Amino acid sequence: MDIINAKDINQNILEEIKQNAKGCIIRPSVAVIKIGENKKVSDLIKLQEEACNKVGIYFRIYEFDETTTELTIINKIKELNNDDYVNGIMIALPIPDKYNEKRLINTIQNSKDVDGMTDINVGRYISGRKTIVPSIALAVTTLLNENNIDISGKNVVIVGRGKAAGRPLISALINENATVTVCHSKTDKLKNYIERADILISAIGDYSAITPDMIKDDTVIINVGYTYDEEGNKKEDIDTSKMSKKSITIIPSDEIQTTRITMFLKNVLMCYNNKK
Amino acid sequence: MDIINAKDINQNILEEIKQNAKGCIIRPSVAVIKIGENKKVSDLIKLQEEACNKVGIYFRIYEFDETTTELTIINKIKELNNDDYVNGIMIALPIPDKYNEKRLINTIQNSKDVDGMTDINVGRYISGRKTIVPSIALAVTTLLNENNIDISGKNVVIVGRGKAAGRPLISALINENATVTVCHSKTDKLKNYIERADILISAIGDYSAITPDMIKDDTVIINVGYTYDEEGNKKEDIDTSKMSKKSITIIPSDEIQTTRITMFLKNVLMCYNNKK
């Protein structure tokens, strides 16, 4: 069993980002918008802030509670769009249902859309144009490539079709010449797809859908999704703890998360260069 | 063996389009841009023109030979963008390699982008927003739904990842709750995917990739792609002529083409209503 550790990879990329940030005339800066309370969101923002501090990127957080009107948030985004000292803007998802997520996201100026979520950036990406790629998709392809795991021609099964992970992963993996299968809650006989995967990516945030017995021995398992149980323990989509005997390769969700943060920083620099 | 005939379905939708067009204060109008010479493009445009005439949509064609500069074509598109009497604009693909296809397509105003090809319309579609859907994707889902062929939960294998057919079909079928597998030229062991398909869609324009022996007995075969051989005979991606004994369902490329034209007309009316 091979469990991928992304520490060295991230350290190298972070060092590069740090040097690039140092070379910037004005300190690169990113603004993250947080709406309501959500443990995953809070964790992510904490990691983003720490990482920004380490590499010399200025981090601003704008927090709104659930009583805030949508217009107030839209006006804040517009203000950030017009602020020359802000290079990247991200709305930390998920946000409470009462807000129109698409409207908020599409208020972000495309050149500042640091996680590649506006309609036009999604379209550019799908059409194969050079653009900002969502950090989770970048994290997955980076960890595969840096660990010399072949993607081209392989049977890649993605479970989940959400906007932040599943959908951008489809394009990312097709662009890397994988044969991609997209499974989701409506998939009939999920096991039939899982058991044939060379690379299995779970991005559902549900630990009951995929059981270890479905997975063949030499699969590369990528845990993108995770949840917290009632006691606050982190539960990855695929429980790999009892898989010791199998000749599998595992990329744990923590490594995806860490790398995702690094890719987020990389995207901030890309936004910084966009403005020039 | 069941060979789908789309005549009745198209007739009904065309009748509806005709009535809707009649109800418009100004006659709806579409402009198609043709660059260079290509048999498939010429055939498509001829069918579009005939169909427009039948339902009362004003059809304009702008032809450019390969010596035309890109700037000339861009200026024509801008002129059409500003022309209140033009509701939809389409560049008939493929165009000669010397032109920057993406730049030309993205010059089209989004509200007039009748085949849903601009980056922002592609992104809107992927994000599940109400927008213009490429006519080929609409043709496939319409023929499946109108013939009561279940899509939800089914194993749909799409061969081809091109911009006009493969890519929009991925989103269209995922949105219909299919489990979608995308195969292409780099796919290893194509047969392994084909033989498990409930619905097999070929959109490659190559009749040598998929052979009838790969296909299981109860598959729904959709021939989107076709080519012409040296004698000018049409060759569908999948040769279904020797499949008489199998319990398969076939949607021939001619039916897809016919329905695609109908969907194009439907999209012209959608563009007409966009402007209001």
Side-chain angles (χ1 to χ4, degrees):
Chain A
M1 191 173 60
D2 191 12
I3 301 179
I4 301 284
N5 183 316
K7 204 180 160 196
D8 289 350
I9 296 164
N10 278 293
Q11 220 153 30
N12 291 340
I13 306 175
L14 285 172
E15 191 50 43
E16 204 181 298
I17 293 169
K18 200 173 173 178
Q19 293 309 320
N20 285 337
K22 241 184 213 165
C24 294
I25 297 170
I26 302 165
R27 193 172 169 195
S29 144
V30 65
V32 172
I33 291 165
K34 184 189 171 199
I35 311 168
E37 273 311 321
N38 178 299
K39 177 161 166 51
K40 275 193 188 182
V41 166
S42 303
D43 289 352
L44 180 74
I45 289 177
K46 205 177 147 226
L47 292 172
Q48 286 175 326
E49 183 165 16
E50 286 170 6
C52 282
N53 289 340
K54 271 188 207 156
V55 298
I57 289 173
Y58 188 49
F59 185 85
R60 300 196 208 170
I61 168 89
Y62 296 91
E63 294 189 64
F64 299 98
D65 65 31
E66 282 202 45
T67 63
T68 314
T69 65
E70 191 162 300
L71 187 64
T72 305
I73 301 170
I74 283 181
N75 285 336
K76 173 52 77 180
I77 296 171
K78 287 183 178 167
E79 189 190 309
L80 295 169
N81 283 341
N82 292 325
D83 184 339
D84 286 344
Y85 291 100
V86 173
N87 304 117
I89 304 167
M90 178 173 171
I91 299 168
L93 300 180
I95 60 174
D97 286 342
K98 64 175 268 203
Y99 298 98
N100 184 333
E101 185 182 297
K102 283 167 192 162
R103 190 185 303 150
L104 288 176
I105 287 174
N106 282 297
T107 304
I108 299 173
Q109 193 176 296
N110 293 308
S111 60
K112 296 191 178 189
D113 172 32
V114 72
D115 210 32
M117 297 298 280
T118 65
D119 286 338
I120 196 161
N121 282 330
V122 170
R124 278 182 185 155
Y125 183 42
I126 303 286
S127 308
R129 298 181 75 181
K130 198 174 150 50
T131 187
I132 294 165
V133 178
S135 54
I136 290 183
L138 272 181
V140 169
T141 52
T142 301
L143 289 184
L144 288 169
N145 287 324
E146 291 286 333
N147 286 287
N148 299 312
I149 297 168
D150 273 350
I151 307 175
S152 180
K154 297 294 177 189
N155 182 1
V156 176
V157 175
I158 299 168
V159 187
R161 53 178 165 171
K163 199 170 357 164
R167 299 262 175 165
L169 279 167
I170 300 170
S171 301
L173 276 306
I174 290 176
N175 291 347
E176 297 263 355
N177 293 323
T179 302
V180 174
T181 297
V182 189
C183 299
H184 42 76
S185 55
K186 301 284 184 196
T187 293
D188 191 28
K189 296 175 193 148
L190 184 61
K191 184 172 184 296
N192 285 358
Y193 302 96
I194 305 271
E195 69 187 8
R196 293 192 181 94
D198 296 316
I199 299 172
L200 170 63
I201 305 175
S202 182
I204 39 178
D206 173 0
Y207 56 82
S208 65
I210 303 169
T211 49
D213 60 286
M214 296 178 176
I215 301 168
K216 73 178 165 70
D217 273 7
D218 55 354
T219 305
V220 177
I221 298 175
I222 306 180
N223 258 321
V224 170
Y226 61 91
T227 37
Y228 292 98
D229 67 12
E230 283 170 11
E231 285 88 42
N233 300 311
K234 192 172 178 178
K235 304 266 276 180
E236 294 184 287
D237 280 4
I238 304 169
D239 180 5
T240 56
S241 63
K242 285 160 201 149
M243 286 186 174
S244 56
K245 282 178 195 164
K246 294 191 174 183
S247 58
I248 47 174
T249 303
I250 297 168
I251 306 186
S253 61
D254 280 349
E255 307 302 312
I256 294 288
Q257 274 300 95
T258 308
T259 313
R260 182 199 175 171
I261 303 291
T262 305
M263 296 301 126
F264 164 76
L265 302 177
K266 224 175 155 177
N267 280 348
V268 175
L269 287 188
M270 196 168 169
C271 289
Y272 180 91
N273 291 318
N274 272 350
K275 79 168 178 177
K276 286 192 300 196
Chain B
M1 191 171 62
D2 190 11
I3 301 178
I4 301 284
N5 184 316
K7 206 180 156 192
D8 289 350
I9 295 163
N10 278 293
Q11 221 154 32
N12 291 341
I13 305 175
L14 285 172
E15 190 50 44
E16 204 180 298
I17 293 170
K18 200 173 170 177
Q19 293 309 320
N20 285 338
K22 239 184 218 168
C24 294
I25 297 170
I26 302 166
R27 194 173 168 194
S29 145
V30 64
V32 172
I33 291 166
K34 184 190 171 200
I35 311 169
E37 273 311 321
N38 178 299
K39 178 162 166 50
K40 275 193 189 181
V41 167
S42 303
D43 289 353
L44 179 74
I45 289 177
K46 204 177 149 225
L47 292 172
Q48 286 176 325
E49 183 166 15
E50 286 170 6
C52 281
N53 289 338
K54 269 188 211 157
V55 298
I57 288 173
Y58 188 50
F59 183 84
R60 299 196 209 171
I61 166 91
Y62 296 90
E63 294 190 65
F64 300 96
D65 64 33
E66 283 203 43
T67 64
T68 315
T69 65
E70 191 162 301
L71 187 65
T72 305
I73 301 170
I74 284 182
N75 285 336
K76 173 53 75 181
I77 296 171
K78 287 182 179 168
E79 190 191 308
L80 295 169
N81 283 342
N82 293 324
D83 184 340
D84 285 344
Y85 291 100
V86 173
N87 305 116
I89 304 168
M90 178 175 172
I91 299 168
L93 299 180
I95 60 173
D97 286 341
K98 65 175 270 200
Y99 298 97
N100 184 333
E101 186 182 297
K102 282 167 193 161
R103 191 184 304 149
L104 289 176
I105 287 174
N106 282 296
T107 304
I108 299 172
Q109 192 177 298
N110 294 309
S111 60
K112 295 192 178 188
D113 172 31
V114 72
D115 209 32
M117 298 296 280
T118 65
D119 286 338
I120 196 161
N121 282 330
V122 170
R124 278 181 186 155
Y125 183 42
I126 303 285
S127 308
R129 297 179 76 181
K130 197 173 150 57
T131 186
I132 294 165
V133 178
S135 54
I136 290 183
L138 271 181
V140 169
T141 51
T142 301
L143 288 185
L144 287 169
N145 287 326
E146 291 287 334
N147 286 286
N148 299 314
I149 297 168
D150 272 350
I151 307 176
S152 180
K154 296 294 176 189
N155 182 1
V156 176
V157 176
I158 299 170
V159 187
R161 52 178 167 172
K163 200 171 357 168
R167 299 261 175 166
L169 279 166
I170 300 170
S171 301
L173 276 308
I174 291 176
N175 291 348
E176 296 264 355
N177 292 324
T179 302
V180 174
T181 298
V182 190
C183 299
H184 44 74
S185 55
K186 302 284 183 197
T187 293
D188 191 29
K189 296 174 192 149
L190 184 61
K191 184 173 185 295
N192 285 358
Y193 302 96
I194 304 273
E195 70 187 7
R196 294 193 180 93
D198 297 317
I199 300 173
L200 171 64
I201 306 176
S202 182
I204 40 178
D206 173 359
Y207 55 84
S208 65
I210 303 168
T211 50
D213 60 286
M214 296 178 177
I215 302 167
K216 73 176 165 71
D217 273 8
D218 54 352
T219 306
V220 177
I221 298 173
I222 307 181
N223 258 320
V224 170
Y226 61 90
T227 37
Y228 292 97
D229 66 11
E230 284 168 11
E231 284 88 44
N233 300 312
K234 191 172 181 178
K235 304 265 275 181
E236 294 184 290
D237 280 3
I238 303 169
D239 180 6
T240 56
S241 63
K242 286 158 200 150
M243 286 187 173
S244 56
K245 282 178 194 163
K246 294 191 175 184
S247 58
I248 49 175
T249 303
I250 297 168
I251 306 186
S253 61
D254 279 350
E255 307 302 312
I256 294 288
Q257 275 300 95
T258 308
T259 313
R260 181 198 175 171
I261 303 290
T262 305
M263 296 301 127
F264 164 78
L265 303 177
K266 224 175 158 178
N267 279 348
V268 175
L269 287 188
M270 196 167 169
C271 289
Y272 180 91
N273 290 319
N274 273 349
K275 80 166 178 177
K276 285 192 297 197

